[in-house]
Amino acid sequence: MNGLTSWMEKYILPVAAKIGAQKHLVALRDAFIGTLPATMAGSVAVMINAIIRDLPQQFVSTYADSLAADKGIFAVLNVIIGINGFVWNGTLAIAGLIFAFSWGYNLARAYGVNDLAGGIVGLATLIQGISFGPALSAALNVDVPKNVADAINGTELGATIADGTLSVGLWGWLKLDHLNGNAYFTVMIMGAISVIIFCKLMLADITIKMPDSVPPAVSKAFAAILPATIALYIIAIINYIVGRLADGQLIIDLVQKGYNGKTGTPAVLDAIEDGKAYMWVRGSFDAFAWFGGSGGTIVLLIAILLFSKRADYLTVAKLSIGPGIFNINEPVMFGLPIVLNAIMFIPFLVAPVVATAIGWVATYLGLVAPVSQQVTWVVPPFLLSFLATGADWRAPIVTLVCMVVTFLIWAPFVISANKMDPAAGEQ
């Protein structure tokens, strides 16, 4: 490990330091860190609800019914769950929205222009490109009783029934998947375009000038009007053109397109042989590669606590270890941050690939039963793989092997990060 660390310090660290000092990446780093108060609050809410609502249902079949009865101690738990729900609504549920403002703010700050206006431009960029609710019509092909049709038509749900046709118009209902963490990548791209245009116009002094007698706050706001308007119109034109070329699809939907995982059955081995199930499924990643969250970040936290000498890393790790046990890794992802971190992105990509390979080989060689059970994602590592494989005692051992190997991948990078100046690139 010493040889690898020395090699990294000689060849990787200088490049990483230069990349890390680039003003756009510094602004991006600060944008993620800026969301940490909301991210941490939301992670705590999710963790508490996981402990008192989700995890017990994995082991007590009547727990959900007891919660629904809302009596005794369960009435108290429902109050806590409800309060945590409000916290989640204002944090992780709209994490992309919060990041959009933080990204615009920090990017404008990096250019030395009106940072508040930059944040507003970033926020407006996201909102203009999201769905405001679908409008559709469908023939029901059934006779709807008049009293039922009248009842539906009399509501404010946005649905009407006329001549056997159901019409639904939900305009004004924002899609949550466009406002949460799924929006990050779109925000990074579109927000960068709009805010950089805004900044360049501000620096070129293409602004509305106000008399010296006008208060500074008013003068600053008016100066930002023209650059912000031009930037947002350019984004609107891009959104419109992409929509026309992509049959009405939004950019954010094109970016978010992914795959649907397959799941097994209790008779998964027979089903696999019959070609009706899969040996490696979506839950296999959770069991053998994504312990603590994507990237296997609970291993990173352990490596930081053991080897890091950086106060900023240690602080984030101590705050993140609790949520990390329940596979909630937003605090470390955006608090360290890992995202676009010049030294951490390599193990973040490599470690899960290696862990997946180990789990895949063990599964295909029959060293462990295939994942066949759907398990709540907040179940801690080891227990998750044990339950997901139908209580195969070998599964936690495979998970442990994967964790040890990924720990050996993460550790040299954590040690090398000790040589990086945590204040590099700060203004």
Side-chain angles (χ1 to χ4, degrees):
M1 183 178 292
N2 289 336
L4 176 60
T5 303
S6 299
W7 181 85
M8 288 175 54
E9 290 175 358
K10 184 176 180 180
Y11 295 104
I12 301 294
L13 212 57
V15 177
K18 289 180 180 178
I19 294 173
Q22 208 280 332
K23 72 176 181 180
H24 296 91
L25 294 182
V26 170
L28 189 59
R29 177 200 68 185
D30 292 345
F32 279 116
I33 294 174
T35 67
L36 190 57
T39 301
M40 182 59 71
S43 298
V44 170
V46 171
M47 180 176 66
I48 293 172
N49 277 1
I51 294 171
I52 66 177
R53 181 192 62 195
D54 302 325
L55 286 180
Q57 295 182 40
Q58 292 290 139
F59 311 104
V60 182
S61 59
T62 59
Y63 192 83
D65 294 332
S66 299
L67 273 177
D70 199 31
K71 295 179 180 178
I73 186 63
F74 293 101
V76 177
L77 293 180
N78 278 325
V79 170
I80 298 172
I81 291 169
I83 292 171
N84 284 327
F86 282 113
V87 174
W88 180 82
N89 290 344
T91 54
L92 297 184
I94 57 165
L97 193 69
I98 296 169
F99 174 67
F101 178 85
S102 184
W103 176 215
Y105 178 93
N106 282 282
L107 192 52
R109 188 165 174 247
Y111 275 89
V113 301
N114 188 333
D115 45 21
L116 178 60
I120 293 171
V121 169
L123 185 65
T125 298
L126 170 63
I127 294 297
Q128 72 160 263
I130 68 173
S131 172
F132 277 69
L136 55 90
S137 296
L140 299 177
N141 297 321
V142 295
D143 292 328
V144 179
K146 185 176 184 303
N147 61 328
V148 175
D150 290 343
I152 292 175
N153 292 336
T155 65
E156 297 182 358
L157 297 176
T160 59
I161 293 180
D163 300 325
T165 299
L166 172 68
S167 299
V168 180
L170 297 178
W171 194 92
W173 295 71
L174 301 184
K175 186 177 181 180
L176 203 58
D177 273 350
H178 288 171
L179 300 178
N180 60 17
N182 291 328
Y184 279 137
F185 196 67
T186 306
V187 168
M188 280 189 267
I189 298 172
M190 303 304 291
I193 295 172
S194 65
V195 178
I196 289 174
I197 291 171
F198 165 78
C199 294
K200 295 289 187 181
L201 293 173
M202 288 287 289
L203 292 173
D205 203 23
I206 303 175
T207 60
I208 297 175
K209 308 296 189 300
M210 299 296 290
D212 293 337
S213 58
V214 173
V218 176
S219 183
K220 281 183 66 177
F222 270 85
I225 289 176
L226 198 55
T229 301
I230 294 172
L232 291 174
Y233 261 95
I234 291 174
I235 294 298
I237 292 169
I238 294 173
N239 281 322
Y240 180 82
I241 292 173
V242 171
R244 292 299 296 266
L245 294 177
D247 296 325
Q249 292 188 78
L250 299 170
I251 292 175
I252 195 168
D253 287 326
L254 294 172
V255 171
Q256 289 180 11
K257 276 187 175 179
Y259 67 94
N260 298 317
K262 308 287 196 303
T263 56
T265 67
V268 66
L269 291 174
D270 291 337
I272 290 170
E273 203 164 316
D274 293 339
K276 297 177 181 178
Y278 296 81
M279 185 72 77
W280 185 268
V281 296
R282 167 63 180 82
S284 303
F285 292 98
D286 293 329
F288 303 122
W290 293 343
F291 21 77
S294 57
T297 48
I298 197 167
V299 176
L300 166 61
L301 296 177
I302 295 170
I304 289 174
L305 293 174
L306 289 176
F307 300 127
S308 182
K309 298 177 182 178
R310 292 181 53 161
D312 55 337
Y313 278 24
L314 287 168
T315 300
V316 170
K318 290 173 184 176
L319 290 172
S320 303
I321 194 69
I325 292 172
F326 299 96
N327 305 313
I328 301 165
N329 71 346
E330 282 84 359
V332 65
M333 286 290 289
F334 308 124
L336 205 56
I338 293 175
V339 178
L340 292 188
N341 185 310
I343 193 69
M344 291 299 175
F345 85 97
I346 298 175
F348 181 75
L349 295 177
V350 173
V353 172
V354 175
T356 298
I358 294 171
W360 183 88
V361 170
T363 302
Y364 270 81
L365 292 180
L367 302 178
V368 65
V371 169
S372 58
Q373 310 296 320
Q374 185 172 356
V375 181
T376 302
W377 65 275
V378 291
V379 174
F382 302 120
L383 181 58
L384 187 150
S385 59
F386 178 73
L387 295 174
T389 54
D392 186 345
W393 62 270
R394 299 170 296 177
I397 297 176
V398 176
T399 300
L400 178 61
V401 172
C402 293
M403 291 181 72
V404 170
V405 172
T406 54
F407 175 83
L408 295 176
I409 294 172
W410 274 110
F413 291 88
V414 171
I415 295 170
S416 295
N418 291 330
K419 300 292 180 68
M420 293 185 70
D421 181 5
E426 291 189 359
Q427 300 170 26

